[in-house]
Amino acid sequence: MIATGFHAGRAYKLTPGQKTANRVLAVGRAPVEHGFAHLKNWRILTKLRTGLARATCLLRALLVLTDLEVNR
């Protein structure tokens, strides 16, 4: 399931509850987007030719290593 935020229009302003919901969604989305941005630095991913299960394990390991490096 993909969760998207509320959108305001010219004639429609967001309610305080909708603004809070957008903020909560952004807080949860930011670490994921940062993780993908850091994974793009790993050049091995450009030449990855393996099965989905093995790729998932590799991505998890790279994300842990990247997280350790970033939070050092």
Side-chain angles (χ1 to χ4, degrees):
M1 179 177 139
I2 297 175
T4 59
F6 294 96
H7 301 283
R10 288 184 187 193
Y12 176 71
K13 305 250 183 206
L14 294 178
T15 65
Q18 290 172 327
K19 288 181 183 181
T20 303
N22 282 350
R23 201 172 300 117
V24 168
L25 186 61
V27 167
R29 185 182 295 158
V32 175
E33 291 182 3
H34 287 134
F36 281 122
H38 288 296
L39 283 174
K40 288 181 182 179
N41 292 329
W42 293 83
R43 294 183 184 209
I44 188 138
L45 297 178
T46 61
K47 298 179 181 182
L48 187 63
R49 303 286 185 260
T50 185
L52 212 50
R54 188 170 175 91
T56 302
C57 291
L58 178 63
L59 286 174
R60 285 180 182 163
L62 289 175
L63 188 56
V64 167
L65 291 173
T66 303
D67 188 45
L68 289 173
E69 183 68 25
V70 168
N71 294 325
R72 187 165 48 130

